[in-house]
Amino acid sequence: MICPKCELEFIDSVAVCPDCGEKLVSKEEFEGNLVHPSDWVVVYTTSENYEAEMFKANLLGAGIDSLILGQKDRNYPAVGDLAVIKLLVKKDDTENALEIINDINSRKDINNEE
Ligand SMILES: [Zn+2]
């Protein structure tokens, strides 16, 4: 369990942060809420979910955490309606992630030409 305010971890039997009184959340929940747009960079957009999943798997294989966001809500200013699925990585991983994505894409192009 983690306090979302203090970002401190507690044992499971603790329900409320002893420091600030904030309700503790599970680690998964905390990490899910940790997606601050400023920490994450969109490295790829696609309309195909399988493609996003494929890149995510490849990035994970290289030790890079990534997130897939399916932006379908209308409140979000969409850049091109078709590219609704976004692949995000942490800022620090941007360069490596782009390299991997470009590598996969260039191999794909070669295959298509044959
Ligand atoms: Zn706290």
Side-chain angles (χ1 to χ4, degrees), residues 4-21:
K5 265 193 189 163
C6 315
E7 301 191 8
L8 291 174
E9 228 173 301
F10 298 96
I11 53 166
D12 284 354
S13 57
V14 180
V16 174
C17 177
D19 284 345
C20 69

Side-chain angles (χ1 to χ4, degrees), residues 25-114:
V25 297
S26 71
K27 201 166 186 181
E28 289 77 22
E29 220 178 310
F30 178 72
E31 284 171 354
N33 289 331
L34 253 193
V35 186
H36 300 303
S38 59
D39 295 340
W40 293 79
V41 178
V42 177
V43 288
Y44 198 75
T45 55
T46 176
S47 56
E48 305 292 344
N49 197 47
Y50 77 89
E51 201 181 14
E53 294 284 352
M54 184 266 291
F55 281 122
K56 186 182 166 74
N58 275 282
L59 291 173
L60 195 65
I64 298 172
D65 277 332
S66 60
L67 284 173
I68 295 172
L69 291 184
Q71 290 290 1
K72 290 228 167 178
D73 68 88
R74 288 287 158 207
N75 298 329
Y76 208 86
V79 185
D81 253 345
L82 287 173
V84 288
I85 298 161
K86 294 177 181 178
L87 188 67
L88 292 88
V89 299
K90 284 176 189 150
K91 242 183 203 165
D92 293 347
D93 294 328
T94 311
E95 235 170 87
N96 290 336
L98 284 174
E99 219 166 280
I100 291 165
I101 289 168
N102 287 337
D103 190 50
I104 295 166
N105 275 336
S106 65
R107 266 182 286 164
K108 220 167 38 181
D109 289 344
I110 291 164
N111 288 338
N112 286 344
E113 281 164 21
E114 280 168 1

